[in-house]
Coordinates of all heavy atoms in Angstrom, one line a residue:
M1140 N 152.4 26.5 103.3 CA 151.8 25.8 104.3 C 150.3 26.3 104.5 O 150.1 27.5 104.7 CB 152.6 25.8 105.6 CG 152.5 24.6 106.5 SD 153.4 24.7 108.0 CE 155.0 25.2 107.6
S1141 N 149.4 25.4 104.4 CA 148.0 25.9 104.6 C 147.6 25.8 106.1 O 148.0 24.9 106.9 CB 147.0 25.1 103.8 OG 147.0 23.7 104.3
K1142 N 146.8 26.8 106.5 CA 146.4 26.9 107.9 C 144.9 26.4 107.9 O 144.1 26.9 107.2 CB 146.6 28.3 108.4 CG 146.3 28.5 109.9 CD 146.6 29.9 110.3 CE 146.1 30.2 111.6 NZ 145.4 31.3 111.8
S1143 N 144.6 25.6 108.9 CA 143.2 25.2 109.0 C 142.3 26.2 109.7 O 142.7 26.7 110.7 CB 143.1 23.9 109.8 OG 141.8 23.5 110.0
V1144 N 141.2 26.6 109.0 CA 140.4 27.6 109.6 C 139.2 26.9 110.3 O 138.5 26.1 109.7 CB 139.8 28.6 108.5 CG1 138.9 29.6 109.1 CG2 141.0 29.2 107.8
T1145 N 139.0 27.1 111.5 CA 137.9 26.4 112.3 C 137.0 27.5 113.0 O 137.5 28.6 113.2 CB 138.5 25.6 113.4 OG1 139.3 26.4 114.3 CG2 139.2 24.4 112.8
P1146 N 135.8 27.2 113.2 CA 134.9 28.2 113.8 C 135.3 28.6 115.2 O 135.1 29.8 115.6 CB 133.6 27.4 114.0 CG 133.6 26.2 113.0 CD 135.1 25.9 112.9
Y1147 N 135.9 27.7 116.0 CA 136.2 28.1 117.4 C 137.7 27.9 117.6 O 138.3 26.8 117.5 CB 135.5 27.1 118.4 CG 134.0 27.3 118.3 CD1 133.2 26.2 117.7 CD2 133.2 28.4 118.6 CE1 131.9 26.3 117.6 CE2 131.9 28.5 118.5 CZ 131.2 27.4 118.0 OH 129.8 27.5 117.8
K1148 N 138.3 29.1 118.1 CA 139.8 29.1 118.2 C 140.3 28.2 119.3 O 141.3 27.5 119.1 CB 140.1 30.6 118.5 CG 141.5 31.0 118.5 CD 141.7 32.5 118.5 CE 141.0 33.1 119.5 NZ 141.7 33.8 120.6
D1149 N 139.5 28.1 120.4 CA 140.0 27.4 121.6 C 139.4 26.1 121.8 O 139.3 25.5 122.9 CB 139.9 28.2 122.9 CG 140.6 29.5 122.7 OD1 141.7 29.5 122.2 OD2 140.1 30.6 123.1
S1150 N 138.9 25.4 120.7 CA 138.2 24.1 120.9 C 139.2 23.0 120.6 O 140.0 23.1 119.7 CB 137.0 24.1 119.9 OG 136.4 22.8 119.9
D1151 N 139.0 21.9 121.3 CA 139.8 20.7 121.1 C 139.1 19.7 120.0 O 139.7 18.8 119.6 CB 139.9 19.8 122.4 CG 140.8 20.6 123.4 OD1 141.7 21.3 122.9 OD2 140.5 20.4 124.6
L1152 N 137.9 20.1 119.6 CA 137.2 19.3 118.6 C 137.8 19.5 117.2 O 138.4 20.4 117.0 CB 135.7 19.7 118.6 CG 134.9 19.5 119.8 CD1 133.5 20.1 119.7 CD2 134.7 18.0 120.1
G1153 N 137.6 18.5 116.4 CA 138.0 18.6 115.0 C 137.1 19.6 114.3 O 136.1 20.0 114.8
K1154 N 137.6 19.9 113.0 CA 136.9 20.9 112.3 C 135.4 20.5 112.1 O 134.5 21.4 112.2 CB 137.6 21.2 111.0 CG 137.0 22.3 110.2 CD 137.9 22.6 109.0 CE 137.2 23.8 108.2 NZ 138.1 24.1 107.1
K1155 N 135.2 19.3 111.6 CA 133.9 18.8 111.3 C 132.9 19.0 112.5 O 131.8 19.5 112.4 CB 133.9 17.4 110.8 CG 132.8 17.1 109.9 CD 132.8 15.7 109.2 CE 133.7 14.6 109.6 NZ 133.5 13.4 109.0
E1156 N 133.4 18.6 113.7 CA 132.6 18.6 114.9 C 132.4 20.1 115.3 O 131.3 20.4 115.7 CB 133.3 17.9 116.0 CG 133.4 16.4 115.9 CD 134.4 15.9 114.9 OE1 135.3 16.7 114.5 OE2 134.3 14.7 114.5
Q1157 N 133.3 20.9 115.1 CA 133.1 22.3 115.4 C 132.1 23.0 114.4 O 131.3 23.8 114.9 CB 134.5 23.1 115.2 CG 135.5 22.9 116.3 CD 136.6 23.9 116.2 OE1 136.5 25.0 116.0 NE2 137.9 23.3 116.4
V1158 N 132.1 22.6 113.2 CA 131.1 23.1 112.2 C 129.7 22.7 112.7 O 128.8 23.5 112.8 CB 131.4 22.7 110.8 CG1 130.3 23.0 109.8 CG2 132.7 23.3 110.2
A1159 N 129.6 21.4 113.0 CA 128.3 20.9 113.5 C 127.9 21.6 114.7 O 126.7 22.1 114.9 CB 128.4 19.4 113.8
Q1160 N 128.8 21.8 115.7 CA 128.5 22.6 116.9 C 128.1 24.0 116.6 O 127.1 24.5 117.2 CB 129.8 22.6 117.9 CG 129.4 23.1 119.2 CD 130.7 23.1 120.1 OE1 131.7 23.7 119.8 NE2 130.6 22.4 121.1
M1161 N 128.7 24.6 115.7 CA 128.4 26.0 115.4 C 127.0 26.1 114.8 O 126.2 27.0 115.3 CB 129.4 26.6 114.3 CG 129.1 28.0 114.0 SD 130.2 28.6 112.7 CE 129.6 27.7 111.2
F1162 N 126.7 25.2 113.9 CA 125.3 25.3 113.4 C 124.3 24.8 114.4 O 123.1 25.3 114.4 CB 125.2 24.4 112.0 CG 125.8 25.3 110.9 CD1 127.0 25.0 110.3 CD2 125.0 26.3 110.3 CE1 127.5 25.8 109.3 CE2 125.5 27.0 109.3 CZ 126.7 26.8 108.8
D1163 N 124.6 23.9 115.3 CA 123.7 23.5 116.4 C 123.4 24.8 117.2 O 122.2 25.1 117.5 CB 124.4 22.5 117.3 CG 124.3 21.1 116.8 OD1 123.6 20.8 115.8 OD2 125.0 20.2 117.4
N1164 N 124.5 25.6 117.5 CA 124.3 26.8 118.3 C 123.5 27.8 117.6 O 122.8 28.6 118.3 CB 125.6 27.3 118.6 CG 126.4 26.5 119.6 OD1 125.8 25.7 120.3 ND2 127.7 26.6 119.7
I1165 N 123.5 28.0 116.3 CA 122.8 29.1 115.7 C 121.4 28.6 115.1 O 120.7 29.3 114.5 CB 123.6 29.7 114.6 CG1 123.9 28.8 113.4 CG2 124.8 30.5 115.2 CD1 124.4 29.6 112.2
S1166 N 121.2 27.3 115.2 CA 120.0 26.7 114.4 C 118.7 27.4 114.8 O 117.9 27.6 113.9 CB 119.9 25.2 114.7 OG 119.8 25.0 116.1
G1167 N 118.5 27.8 116.0 CA 117.2 28.4 116.4 C 117.0 29.8 115.7 O 115.8 30.2 115.5
N1168 N 118.1 30.4 115.4 CA 118.0 31.7 114.7 C 118.3 31.7 113.2 O 118.3 32.8 112.5 CB 118.9 32.7 115.4 CG 118.6 32.9 116.8 OD1 117.5 33.0 117.2 ND2 119.7 32.8 117.7
Y1169 N 118.7 30.5 112.7 CA 119.2 30.5 111.4 C 118.3 31.0 110.3 O 118.7 31.8 109.5 CB 119.7 29.0 111.0 CG 120.2 28.9 109.6 CD1 121.5 29.2 109.4 CD2 119.4 28.6 108.5 CE1 122.0 29.2 108.1 CE2 119.9 28.5 107.2 CZ 121.2 28.8 107.0 OH 121.6 28.8 105.7
D1170 N 117.0 30.6 110.2 CA 116.1 31.0 109.2 C 115.9 32.5 109.2 O 116.0 33.2 108.2 CB 114.8 30.2 109.4 CG 114.9 28.8 109.0 OD1 115.9 28.5 108.3 OD2 114.0 28.0 109.3
G1171 N 115.7 33.1 110.4 CA 115.5 34.5 110.5 C 116.7 35.3 110.1 O 116.7 36.2 109.3
L1172 N 117.9 34.8 110.5 CA 119.2 35.5 110.2 C 119.4 35.4 108.7 O 119.8 36.4 108.1 CB 120.4 34.8 110.9 CG 120.6 35.1 112.3 CD1 121.7 34.2 112.9 CD2 121.0 36.6 112.5
N1173 N 119.1 34.3 108.2 CA 119.3 34.0 106.7 C 118.5 35.1 105.9 O 119.0 35.7 105.0 CB 118.9 32.6 106.3 CG 119.7 32.0 105.2 OD1 120.6 32.6 104.7 ND2 119.2 30.8 104.9
R1174 N 117.3 35.3 106.3 CA 116.4 36.3 105.6 C 117.0 37.6 105.6 O 117.1 38.4 104.6 CB 115.0 36.3 106.2 CG 114.0 35.2 106.1 CD 113.6 34.7 104.7 NE 114.3 33.4 104.5 CZ 114.0 32.3 105.0 NH1 112.9 32.2 105.7 NH2 114.7 31.2 104.7
V1175 N 117.4 38.0 106.8 CA 117.9 39.4 107.1 C 119.3 39.6 106.5 O 119.5 40.5 105.6 CB 118.1 39.6 108.6 CG1 118.7 41.0 108.8 CG2 116.6 39.6 109.2
I1176 N 120.2 38.7 106.7 CA 121.6 38.9 106.2 C 121.7 38.8 104.6 O 122.4 39.5 104.0 CB 122.5 37.8 106.8 CG1 122.7 38.0 108.3 CG2 123.9 37.8 106.1 CD1 123.4 37.0 109.0
S1177 N 120.9 37.9 104.0 CA 120.8 37.9 102.6 C 119.9 38.9 101.9 O 119.7 38.8 100.7 CB 120.5 36.4 102.2 OG 119.2 36.2 102.3
F1178 N 119.2 39.7 102.7 CA 118.2 40.6 102.1 C 117.1 39.9 101.4 O 116.5 40.3 100.4 CB 118.8 41.7 101.3 CG 119.7 42.6 102.0 CD1 121.2 42.4 101.8 CD2 119.3 43.6 102.9 CE1 122.1 43.3 102.5 CE2 120.2 44.4 103.5 CZ 121.5 44.2 103.3
G1179 N 116.8 38.6 101.9 CA 115.8 37.8 101.2 C 116.2 37.2 100.0 O 115.4 36.4 99.3
I1180 N 117.5 37.3 99.6 CA 118.0 36.6 98.3 C 117.8 35.1 98.4 O 117.7 34.4 97.4 CB 119.4 37.1 98.0 CG1 119.4 38.5 97.5 CG2 120.1 36.1 97.0 CD1 120.7 39.1 97.3
D1181 N 118.0 34.5 99.7 CA 117.9 33.2 99.9 C 116.5 32.6 99.4 O 116.4 31.5 98.8 CB 118.2 32.7 101.3 CG 117.1 33.2 102.3 OD1 116.8 34.4 102.3 OD2 116.5 32.4 103.0
V1182 N 115.5 33.4 99.6 CA 114.1 33.0 99.1 C 114.1 32.9 97.6 O 113.6 32.0 96.9 CB 113.1 33.9 99.7 CG1 111.7 33.5 99.1 CG2 113.0 33.8 101.2
K1183 N 114.8 33.9 97.0 CA 114.7 34.0 95.5 C 115.5 32.9 94.8 O 115.1 32.3 93.9 CB 115.3 35.3 95.1 CG 114.4 36.5 95.3 CD 114.9 37.8 94.7 CE 114.0 39.0 95.1 NZ 114.7 40.3 95.1
W1184 N 116.8 32.6 95.4 CA 117.5 31.5 94.7 C 116.9 30.2 94.9 O 117.0 29.3 94.1 CB 119.0 31.6 95.1 CG 119.4 31.1 96.5 CD1 119.9 31.8 97.5 CD2 119.4 29.7 97.0 NE1 120.2 31.1 98.6 CE2 120.0 29.9 98.3 CE3 119.1 28.5 96.5 CZ2 120.2 28.7 99.1 CZ3 119.3 27.4 97.3 CH2 119.8 27.5 98.6
R1185 N 116.2 29.9 96.0 CA 115.5 28.7 96.2 C 114.4 28.6 95.2 O 114.2 27.4 94.6 CB 114.9 28.6 97.6 CG 115.9 28.2 98.6 CD 115.4 27.7 99.9 NE 116.5 27.7 100.9 CZ 116.8 28.7 101.6 NH1 116.1 29.8 101.7 NH2 117.8 28.7 102.4
K1186 N 113.7 29.6 94.8 CA 112.6 29.6 93.8 C 113.3 29.2 92.5 O 112.7 28.5 91.7 CB 111.9 30.9 93.8 CG 110.8 31.0 94.9 CD 110.0 32.3 94.8 CE 109.0 32.4 95.9 NZ 108.7 33.8 96.1
K1187 N 114.4 29.8 92.2 CA 115.1 29.5 90.9 C 115.5 28.0 90.9 O 115.3 27.4 89.9 CB 116.4 30.3 90.8 CG 116.2 31.7 90.2 CD 117.5 32.3 89.8 CE 117.4 33.7 89.2 NZ 118.6 34.3 88.9
V1188 N 116.0 27.5 92.0 CA 116.4 26.1 92.1 C 115.2 25.2 91.9 O 115.2 24.2 91.1 CB 117.1 25.8 93.4 CG1 117.4 24.3 93.5 CG2 118.4 26.5 93.5
L1189 N 114.0 25.6 92.5 CA 112.8 24.8 92.3 C 112.4 24.8 90.8 O 112.1 23.7 90.4 CB 111.6 25.5 93.1 CG 110.2 25.0 92.9 CD1 110.2 23.5 93.4 CD2 109.1 25.8 93.6
K1190 N 112.5 25.9 90.1 CA 112.2 25.9 88.7 C 113.2 25.0 87.9 O 112.7 24.1 87.1 CB 112.2 27.3 88.1 CG 112.3 27.5 86.6 CD 110.9 27.7 86.1 CE 110.8 27.9 84.6 NZ 111.2 26.8 83.7
M1191 N 114.5 25.1 88.2 CA 115.5 24.3 87.5 C 115.3 22.8 87.7 O 115.4 22.0 86.8 CB 116.9 24.7 88.0 CG 117.4 26.0 87.5 SD 118.7 26.6 88.4 CE 120.0 25.6 87.9
V1192 N 115.0 22.5 89.0 CA 114.8 21.0 89.4 C 113.5 20.5 88.8 O 113.5 19.4 88.2 CB 114.8 20.8 90.9 CG1 114.5 19.4 91.2 CG2 116.2 21.2 91.5
S1193 N 112.4 21.3 88.8 CA 111.1 20.8 88.3 C 111.2 20.6 86.8 O 110.7 19.6 86.3 CB 110.1 22.0 88.5 OG 109.9 22.1 89.9
D1194 N 112.0 21.4 86.2 CA 112.2 21.2 84.7 C 112.8 19.8 84.4 O 112.6 19.3 83.3 CB 113.0 22.3 84.0 CG 112.4 23.6 84.0 OD1 111.2 23.7 84.2 OD2 113.0 24.7 83.7
K1195 N 113.6 19.3 85.3 CA 114.3 18.1 85.0 C 113.3 16.8 85.4 O 113.6 15.7 85.2 CB 115.5 17.9 85.9 CG 116.6 19.0 85.6 CD 117.4 18.4 84.4 CE 118.5 19.5 84.1 NZ 119.1 19.2 82.7
N1196 N 112.2 17.2 86.2 CA 111.3 16.2 86.6 C 111.9 14.9 87.3 O 111.6 13.8 86.9 CB 110.4 15.7 85.4 CG 109.1 15.2 85.8 OD1 108.6 15.6 86.9 ND2 108.5 14.4 85.1
P1197 N 112.7 15.1 88.3 CA 113.4 13.9 88.9 C 112.5 13.1 89.8 O 111.5 13.7 90.3 CB 114.5 14.6 89.8 CG 113.9 15.8 90.2 CD 113.1 16.4 89.0
E1198 N 112.9 11.8 89.9 CA 112.0 11.0 90.9 C 112.6 11.1 92.3 O 111.8 11.0 93.3 CB 112.2 9.5 90.4 CG 111.4 9.1 89.2 CD 111.0 7.7 89.2 OE1 111.3 7.0 90.1 OE2 110.3 7.4 88.2
T1199 N 113.9 11.4 92.4 CA 114.5 11.5 93.7 C 115.3 12.8 93.8 O 116.0 13.1 92.8 CB 115.4 10.3 93.9 OG1 114.6 9.1 93.8 CG2 116.0 10.3 95.3
I1200 N 115.3 13.4 95.0 CA 116.1 14.6 95.2 C 116.9 14.5 96.4 O 116.3 14.1 97.5 CB 115.2 15.9 95.3 CG1 114.4 16.1 94.0 CG2 116.0 17.1 95.7 CD1 113.3 17.2 94.0
L1201 N 118.2 14.7 96.4 CA 119.0 14.7 97.6 C 119.5 16.1 97.8 O 120.2 16.7 97.0 CB 120.2 13.7 97.3 CG 121.3 13.7 98.4 CD1 120.7 13.2 99.7 CD2 122.5 12.8 97.9
D1202 N 119.2 16.6 99.0 CA 119.7 17.9 99.3 C 120.7 17.8 100.4 O 120.5 17.6 101.6 CB 118.5 18.8 99.9 CG 118.9 20.2 100.3 OD1 120.0 20.6 99.9 OD2 118.1 20.9 101.0
I1203 N 122.0 17.9 100.0 CA 123.1 17.7 100.9 C 123.3 19.1 101.6 O 123.3 20.2 101.0 CB 124.4 17.3 100.1 CG1 124.1 15.9 99.4 CG2 125.6 17.3 101.0 CD1 125.2 15.5 98.5
A1204 N 123.6 19.0 102.9 CA 123.8 20.2 103.8 C 122.4 21.0 103.7 O 122.4 22.2 103.6 CB 124.9 21.1 103.4
T1205 N 121.4 20.3 104.0 CA 120.0 20.9 103.9 C 119.7 21.8 105.0 O 118.8 22.7 104.8 CB 118.9 19.7 103.9 OG1 117.7 20.2 103.6 CG2 118.9 19.1 105.3
G1206 N 120.4 21.8 106.1 CA 120.2 22.8 107.1 C 118.9 22.6 107.7 O 118.5 21.5 108.2
T1207 N 118.1 23.6 107.8 CA 116.7 23.5 108.4 C 115.7 23.0 107.3 O 114.5 22.9 107.7 CB 116.2 24.9 108.9 OG1 116.3 25.9 107.8 CG2 117.1 25.4 110.1
G1208 N 116.1 22.7 106.2 CA 115.3 22.0 105.2 C 114.5 22.8 104.3 O 113.6 22.4 103.6
D1209 N 114.8 24.2 104.3 CA 113.9 25.1 103.4 C 113.8 24.5 102.0 O 112.7 24.5 101.4 CB 114.5 26.5 103.4 CG 114.0 27.3 104.6 OD1 113.2 26.8 105.4 OD2 114.5 28.5 104.7
L1210 N 115.0 24.2 101.4 CA 115.0 23.8 100.0 C 114.2 22.5 99.8 O 113.4 22.3 98.9 CB 116.4 23.7 99.5 CG 116.5 23.5 98.0 CD1 115.9 24.6 97.2 CD2 118.0 23.3 97.6
A1211 N 114.6 21.5 100.7 CA 114.0 20.1 100.6 C 112.5 20.3 100.8 O 111.7 19.6 100.1 CB 114.5 19.3 101.7
I1212 N 111.9 21.2 101.7 CA 110.6 21.4 101.8 C 109.9 21.9 100.5 O 108.9 21.5 100.1 CB 110.3 22.2 103.1 CG1 110.7 21.5 104.3 CG2 108.8 22.7 103.1 CD1 110.7 22.3 105.6
L1213 N 110.7 23.0 100.0 CA 110.1 23.5 98.8 C 110.1 22.5 97.6 O 109.2 22.5 96.8 CB 111.1 24.8 98.3 CG 110.6 25.7 97.3 CD1 109.3 26.4 97.8 CD2 111.7 26.7 97.0
M1214 N 111.0 21.5 97.7 CA 111.0 20.5 96.6 C 109.8 19.6 96.6 O 109.6 18.8 95.7 CB 112.2 19.6 96.8 CG 113.6 20.4 96.4 SD 113.6 20.9 94.7 CE 114.1 22.6 94.9
T1215 N 109.0 19.7 97.7 CA 107.7 18.9 97.7 C 106.7 19.4 96.6 O 105.7 18.8 96.3 CB 107.0 19.0 99.0 OG1 106.7 20.4 99.4 CG2 107.8 18.4 100.1
K1216 N 107.1 20.7 96.1 CA 106.3 21.2 94.9 C 106.6 20.6 93.6 O 106.0 20.8 92.6 CB 106.5 22.7 94.9 CG 105.9 23.4 96.0 CD 105.9 24.9 95.9 CE 105.1 25.5 97.1 NZ 105.1 27.0 97.0
T1217 N 107.7 19.7 93.5 CA 108.0 19.1 92.3 C 107.2 17.7 92.3 O 106.5 17.5 93.3 CB 109.6 18.7 92.2 OG1 109.8 17.7 93.3 CG2 110.4 19.9 92.5
N1218 N 107.4 16.9 91.3 CA 106.8 15.6 91.2 C 107.6 14.5 91.8 O 107.3 13.3 91.7 CB 106.5 15.3 89.8 CG 105.4 16.2 89.2 OD1 104.5 16.6 89.9 ND2 105.6 16.6 87.9
A1219 N 108.7 14.9 92.5 CA 109.6 13.9 93.0 C 108.9 13.0 94.0 O 108.1 13.5 94.8 CB 110.8 14.5 93.7
K1220 N 109.2 11.7 93.9 CA 108.5 10.7 94.9 C 109.3 10.6 96.1 O 108.8 10.3 97.1 CB 108.5 9.3 94.2 CG 107.6 9.3 93.0 CD 107.5 7.8 92.5 CE 106.6 7.7 91.4 NZ 107.1 8.2 90.1
K1221 N 110.6 10.9 96.1 CA 111.4 10.8 97.3 C 112.4 12.1 97.4 O 113.1 12.4 96.4 CB 112.3 9.6 97.2 CG 112.9 9.1 98.4 CD 113.5 7.7 98.2 CE 114.2 7.1 99.3 NZ 114.7 5.8 99.1
I1222 N 112.3 12.7 98.6 CA 113.2 13.9 98.8 C 114.0 13.6 100.1 O 113.3 13.3 101.2 CB 112.3 15.1 99.0 CG1 111.5 15.4 97.6 CG2 113.2 16.3 99.2 CD1 110.4 16.4 97.8
I1223 N 115.2 13.7 100.0 CA 116.1 13.3 101.1 C 116.9 14.6 101.5 O 117.6 15.2 100.6 CB 117.1 12.2 100.9 CG1 116.2 10.9 100.5 CG2 118.0 11.9 102.0 CD1 117.0 10.0 99.6
G1224 N 116.9 15.0 102.7 CA 117.8 16.1 103.2 C 118.7 15.5 104.2 O 118.3 14.8 105.1
L1225 N 120.0 15.8 104.1 CA 121.0 15.3 105.1 C 121.8 16.5 105.5 O 122.1 17.5 104.8 CB 121.8 14.2 104.6 CG 122.8 14.4 103.5 CD1 124.2 14.9 104.0 CD2 123.0 13.1 102.8
D1226 N 122.2 16.4 106.8 CA 123.0 17.5 107.4 C 123.9 17.0 108.6 O 123.4 16.0 109.3 CB 122.1 18.7 107.9 CG 122.9 20.0 108.0 OD1 123.6 20.1 109.0 OD2 122.8 20.8 107.0
I1227 N 125.0 17.6 108.7 CA 125.9 17.2 109.8 C 125.4 17.7 111.2 O 125.7 17.1 112.2 CB 127.3 17.7 109.5 CG1 128.4 17.0 110.3 CG2 127.4 19.2 109.7 CD1 129.8 17.3 110.0
S1228 N 124.5 18.7 111.2 CA 124.1 19.3 112.4 C 122.7 18.8 112.8 O 121.7 19.2 112.1 CB 124.1 20.9 112.3 OG 123.2 21.5 113.2
A1229 N 122.6 18.1 113.9 CA 121.3 17.7 114.3 C 120.4 18.8 114.7 O 119.2 18.9 114.5 CB 121.4 16.7 115.5
G1230 N 121.0 19.9 115.2 CA 120.3 21.1 115.6 C 119.6 21.8 114.4 O 118.4 22.2 114.5
M1231 N 120.3 21.8 113.3 CA 119.7 22.4 112.2 C 118.5 21.5 111.7 O 117.4 22.0 111.3 CB 120.6 22.5 111.0 CG 121.8 23.5 111.2 SD 121.1 25.3 111.2 CE 121.2 25.6 109.5
L1232 N 118.7 20.1 111.6 CA 117.6 19.3 111.1 C 116.4 19.3 112.0 O 115.3 19.2 111.4 CB 118.2 17.8 111.1 CG 119.2 17.5 110.0 CD1 119.9 16.2 110.2 CD2 118.6 17.6 108.6
F1233 N 116.6 19.5 113.3 CA 115.4 19.3 114.2 C 114.9 20.6 114.7 O 114.2 20.7 115.7 CB 115.7 18.3 115.3 CG 115.9 16.9 114.8 CD1 117.2 16.4 114.7 CD2 114.8 16.2 114.3 CE1 117.4 15.1 114.2 CE2 115.0 14.9 113.8 CZ 116.3 14.3 113.8
C1234 N 115.2 21.7 114.0 CA 114.9 23.0 114.5 C 114.0 23.7 113.4 O 114.5 24.3 112.5 CB 116.0 24.0 114.7 SG 115.5 25.4 115.4
F1235 N 112.7 23.4 113.4 CA 111.8 24.0 112.4 C 110.6 24.6 113.1 O 109.5 24.1 112.9 CB 111.5 23.0 111.3 CG 111.4 21.5 111.7 CD1 110.3 21.2 112.5 CD2 112.4 20.7 111.4 CE1 110.3 19.8 113.0 CE2 112.3 19.4 111.7 CZ 111.3 18.9 112.5
P1236 N 110.8 25.6 113.9 CA 109.7 26.1 114.8 C 108.5 26.6 114.0 O 107.4 26.3 114.3 CB 110.3 27.3 115.6 CG 111.5 27.6 115.0 CD 112.0 26.3 114.2
E1237 N 108.8 27.4 112.9 CA 107.7 28.0 112.2 C 107.3 27.3 110.9 O 106.5 27.8 110.1 CB 108.0 29.5 111.8 CG 108.9 29.8 110.7 CD 110.4 29.7 111.1 OE1 110.7 29.3 112.3 OE2 111.2 30.0 110.2
K1238 N 107.9 26.1 110.7 CA 107.6 25.4 109.4 C 106.5 24.4 109.6 O 106.3 23.9 110.6 CB 108.9 24.7 108.9 CG 109.8 25.7 108.4 CD 111.1 25.0 107.9 CE 112.1 26.0 107.6 NZ 113.5 25.5 107.7
Ligands
SAM2437 C1 125.0 27.8 105.4 S1 124.0 26.4 105.9 C2 123.0 26.2 104.4 C3 121.8 25.4 104.8 C4 120.8 25.2 103.7 N1 121.4 24.5 102.5 C5 120.2 26.6 103.2 O1 120.4 26.9 102.1 O2 119.7 27.2 104.1 C6 125.3 25.2 105.6 C7 124.8 23.8 106.2 O3 125.9 22.9 105.8 C8 125.9 21.9 106.9 N2 127.2 21.2 106.8 C9 128.5 21.7 107.0 N3 129.4 20.7 106.7 C10 128.6 19.7 106.4 C11 129.1 18.3 106.1 N4 130.3 17.9 106.0 N5 128.1 17.3 105.8 C12 126.9 17.7 105.9 N6 126.3 18.9 106.2 C13 127.3 19.9 106.4 C14 125.8 22.8 108.1 O4 125.4 21.9 109.3 C15 124.7 23.7 107.7 O5 123.4 23.3 108.0

């Protein structure tokens, strides 16, 4: 029997809503936390992805679970005509203080 793992133990919300709520709650600190917790590796992998995507020269890029949009923003360095970022958390999407 599998047990559902959710961010909040005592919440009545479904898992998807809890995940959105959790990222809404941390959105203001997400970018800074990401740099620290990953020791900056997040910056390096994004640069690798930029190179990989650029080599394919796509017209359109879809970044699913884009969060605060770091990768989607970096993708503006490609020749893509259309870049779409989507995320379940409005807080993540609309929290870009230093960008
Ligand atoms: C760890 S963050 C990664 C964000 C971004 N891709 C990055 O590299 O910084 C995971 C993201 O996935 C989003 N997410 C989780 N479940 C999702 C779903 N079902 N549909 C869309 N986004 C989702 C969260 O809201 C969160 O912004």
Side-chain angles (χ1 to χ4, degrees):
M1140 212 182 309
S1141 66
K1142 189 175 165 230
S1143 178
V1144 178
T1145 56
Y1147 300 109
K1148 192 166 52 118
D1149 299 320
S1150 174
D1151 292 330
L1152 295 172
K1154 184 172 182 173
K1155 205 167 22 167
E1156 290 76 15
Q1157 285 190 44
V1158 169
Q1160 188 182 60
M1161 179 184 74
F1162 279 102
D1163 281 349
N1164 288 338
I1165 65 167
S1166 59
N1168 300 315
Y1169 179 82
D1170 287 341
L1172 280 172
N1173 211 2
R1174 290 303 105 75
V1175 173
I1176 292 170
S1177 76
F1178 298 104
I1180 287 171
D1181 66 304
V1182 175
K1183 286 186 187 155
W1184 73 249
R1185 281 195 193 93
K1186 280 186 185 157
K1187 271 192 180 178
V1188 174
L1189 173 62
K1190 166 90 176 72
M1191 289 164 71
V1192 174
S1193 293
D1194 288 350
K1195 298 274 179 195
N1196 207 23
E1198 283 204 4
T1199 304
I1200 297 170
L1201 172 61
D1202 181 16
I1203 298 172
T1205 191
T1207 56
D1209 274 356
L1210 186 62
I1212 292 166
L1213 195 61
M1214 289 299 130
T1215 59
K1216 294 188 173 181
T1217 68
N1218 293 322
K1220 292 187 178 75
K1221 195 170 182 180
I1222 301 165
I1223 302 158
L1225 68 85
D1226 201 279
I1227 198 171
S1228 160
M1231 292 292 275
L1232 288 171
F1233 294 105
C1234 187
F1235 30 73
E1237 78 275 7
K1238 288 178 190 157

